[in-house]
Amino acid sequence: MASMISSMSTVKTYGFPPGVGVSGIARISLIFGIPRVSTKKTKTATMNVATDLSGFQSPLEKEMVEDRKLVAWTSVPQERWEGELVVEGEIPKWLSGTYLRNGPGLWHVGDYNFRHLFDGYATLVGLHFNNGHLTMGHRQIESEAYKAAKNSNKLCYREFSEVPKHDNFLAYIGDLANLFSGASLTDNANTGVVKLADGRVVCLTETIKGSIVVDPNTLDTLEKFEYTDSWGGLIHSAHPIVTDSEFITLLPDLINPGYMVARMDPGTNERKVIGRVDCRGGPSPGWVHSFPVTEHYVIVPEMPLRYCAKNLLKAEPTPLYKFRWYPESKAFMHVMCKASGKIVASVEVPLFVTFHFINAYEEKDEDGRITGVIADCCEHHADTTILDNLRLQNLRSWSGEDVLPDARVGRFRIPMDGSEKGELFAALNADEHGRGMDMCSINPSFLGKPYRYVYACGAQRPCNFPNTLTKIDLVDGKAKNWYDEGAVPSEPYFVARPGAVEEDDGVVISMISDKNGEGYALILDGSTFEEIARAKFPYGLPYGLHGCWVPKNSD
C-alpha cells in the first residue's frame, strides 16, 4: 500500500520509448505541450532537538488523542524526536544497524482533514540498534509538498485523493496544465525506503519526482533523487527491486499502453531500458505498485485495476480514486528476460487485485530446464473495495464489525511452454492467517529463488484492518501468529543473522501503534516467532508502510 499517485505519462521528444512513433509524439505534444518539469536539489537544515508542533493536530484529531484509541490514524504529535529507549527483554547483540520505516504521518493541513490513508505527509522513523541498545528517532520528510503546505497552511499539490481547491475557473485550468506537465503532482515520498548499492538511502512514492535522498543516521532530508536519463515519465512502481547488484523498476506508459522495464547501475542515476511490454487488454496499463523478479526474469503483472485519466481529472475522488476496474479487459502476467529484454511468456490469468508481490522463482525439470515461473502475492480475491476501505473515516469509525476484505497468498503459475493461460490459486488455507494478508517481507537472500517463509500482517477477526503479525510456512501450509488486542502492527521486516544457514534464522522487527494511544518497537525471533524484546516509544506513532535495513558497516 502506498501513496499511489497516477497521472498521464509524458515523454520527451528525444529518447522516447520504443513503440512511440511520430503520431504518438504529436499526440503528446498536442495534449501536454509542456516539457517535463525539472526539480532542483535542495538541502534542509539539521535540527538536533525535538520540536513541539502541537498545532499539527486538527480539532478532530485532538478528540482522538483524548480518546487515546486511534493513534494509528492520528497525525504524529511533533515534527521530529530522537532519544534512547528502555528495552524490555534482550536485543541480540549481532543486530547492528538501522531499521528505517517510511509512511504517511500527517493527515491534515490547518483544520482540513485528509480523506485517505495514502494522503498523509511522509514520516520517516529510525530504530538504531547497537550492542543491545536501541535509539529511536522520527522526522517529517522535507518534500516540496510538505514544505508548501506547512508554509501556506493549505494543500498545494495533488495527493492520492486530494486536489488543491481552486479560487476560480482560470486557476482550475492552470492546475490541469500543471497536472499534465507533472508540476502539480506531489513529491510526498510517503511509501517506501530503499538502500541503494552505493549506500544512498532513497524514500519513494509512485511519482518519479517523489524520490528523495535521506540520511539514515540523522533521518534528515538531503536532496531530490533526480534521474539523469531522457526517458521522462511521471510515474513508476513504488517498489523497485533493489539489491547490491541491481535496481529494476517498471515505468507505466499511458500514451501507448504498456510498461517499460528499466535497470539502473549502482552509483548512477541513469535508467537503461531492458525492454517493453505492450498491454494485451484495456485502454491503459494496470496499476503496478509492485512486481516480482526471478534469477533470470522480470515478471510484469497486468491487472484489470487500471490507471484512469478521466478519474484523475476529477476534483473529488471516485470509489477507485485514480483507477478503474476493467474486468472485461482480463488479466495477464508477462515474463521478460533480464538479459535480452525478450518476452518469453505472456499468459492470461484469473482476475486479481494486489498491492504487493511477495517473491517469485523458476520451476525446473529434472534436467534443469525452466518449465515455469511461480509468483506469489498478497491477493484480495479480485475485490477492489480494499482501496475505499482505507479511507480514514472508515479506519477511525470502526464499530466492531468484521469489515476487512478477505486476502490470501495468491500463487500464480506461469507456464513456459507457449500455453496461453496461467493459474492463480491459494498457496495455503487463508484461515491460517485469518484471511488477512499484506505488508510482506522475506529473507532477502531468497529473492527470486525458491523459498519457504513469508512474514506479513494478518487478521484476528472481527477487524477493519490487518491487526496481527504472521509467519507463513509455504511448505507445511501453516502460520504462526502474534496478536495484541487493540494494537495495529506495521510491516514485519526480517533481518537475517550474519552467517545464518537456515532461512528463518534472524529477527523480525515491527512498530506497533497500541490501543491506549501508545506505541513500541517489537522484536520477534524469526524462527519461533516469539517476542524477545520490546521498547516503548515516548508517544504512539501513526501507522507506517514500508521499511529497509541499513547495516552499521554500510557505506
Side-chain angles (χ1 to χ4, degrees), residues 23 35 65 70 81 113 139 228 263 271 280 284 335-336 384 388 391-392 414 432 434 440 450 468 473 486 488:
S23 61
V65 171
L70 299 172
W81 187 89
N113 290 287
R139 304 280 190 277
T228 58
R263 174 188 288 114
R271 296 165 299 181
R280 286 184 57 183
S284 60
V335 181
M336 177 182 290
T384 62
D388 211 41
R391 285 189 297 125
L392 290 167
I414 307 167
E432 284 287 325
C440 47
T468 72
D473 185 330
V488 179

Side-chain angles (χ1 to χ4, degrees), residues 402-481:
D402 191 19
V403 294
L404 177 68
D406 285 355
R408 59 180 175 170
V409 180
R411 170 160 288 184
F412 294 95
R413 185 180 186 280
I414 307 167
M416 303 284 277
D417 59 2
S419 300
E420 294 184 356
K421 293 192 175 183
E423 301 175 80
L424 171 60
F425 52 92
L428 77 162
N429 187 334
D431 287 334
E432 284 287 325
H433 48 82
R435 305 186 316 282
M437 182 66 190
D438 219 322
M439 311 305 287
C440 47
S441 73
I442 64 169
N443 184 328
S445 297
F446 288 79
L447 176 69
K449 303 175 183 178
Y451 72 117
R452 179 171 183 170
Y453 300 111
V454 181
Y455 301 92
C457 291
Q460 177 72 40
R461 295 179 182 270
C463 59
N464 70 335
F465 193 83
N467 59 356
T468 72
L469 299 174
T470 182
K471 176 190 178 182
I472 293 173
D473 185 330
L474 293 170
V475 174
D476 288 346
K478 298 293 182 181
K480 297 178 180 179
N481 299 291

Side-chain angles (χ1 to χ4, degrees), residues 534-548:
R534 70 168 62 187
K536 185 177 178 181
F537 297 150
Y539 42 78
L541 293 176
Y543 179 78
L545 296 176
H546 302 287
C548 76

Side-chain angles (χ1 to χ4, degrees), residues 185-321:
L185 291 179
T186 190
D187 66 339
N188 176 23
N190 70 353
T191 304
V193 54
V194 296
K195 184 185 78 70
L196 303 183
D198 60 11
R200 289 179 294 176
V201 174
V202 182
C203 293
L204 299 164
T205 188
E206 289 191 356
T207 62
I208 291 175
K209 65 189 288 188
S211 302
I212 297 177
V213 182
V214 297
D215 186 319
N217 298 310
T218 66
L219 309 185
D220 288 324
T221 301
L222 299 180
E223 61 186 6
K224 288 289 185 71
F225 185 95
E226 295 187 281
Y227 296 94
T228 58
D229 54 74
S230 59
W231 288 105
L234 300 180
I235 54 177
H236 59 178
S237 171
H239 293 284
I241 301 296
V242 182
T243 69
D244 288 339
S245 61
E246 64 183 4
F247 177 108
I248 297 177
T249 189
L250 294 186
L251 308 173
D253 181 353
L254 276 68
I255 302 301
N256 291 283
Y259 314 88
M260 307 288 290
V261 181
R263 174 188 288 114
M264 190 169 66
D265 293 331
T268 75
N269 290 35
E270 181 181 1
R271 296 165 299 181
K272 298 178 180 178
V273 170
I274 299 172
R276 174 186 168 87
V277 176
D278 291 321
C279 289
R280 286 184 57 183
S284 60
W287 175 40
V288 285
H289 184 65
S290 68
F291 64 97
V293 300
T294 69
E295 291 185 87
H296 300 101
Y297 304 116
V298 179
I299 316 304
V300 180
E302 186 178 341
M303 187 164 58
L305 182 62
R306 297 178 182 273
Y307 297 101
C308 179
K310 183 178 179 181
N311 286 350
L312 175 71
L313 296 175
K314 294 181 178 179
E316 293 297 320
T318 71
L320 291 182
Y321 302 92

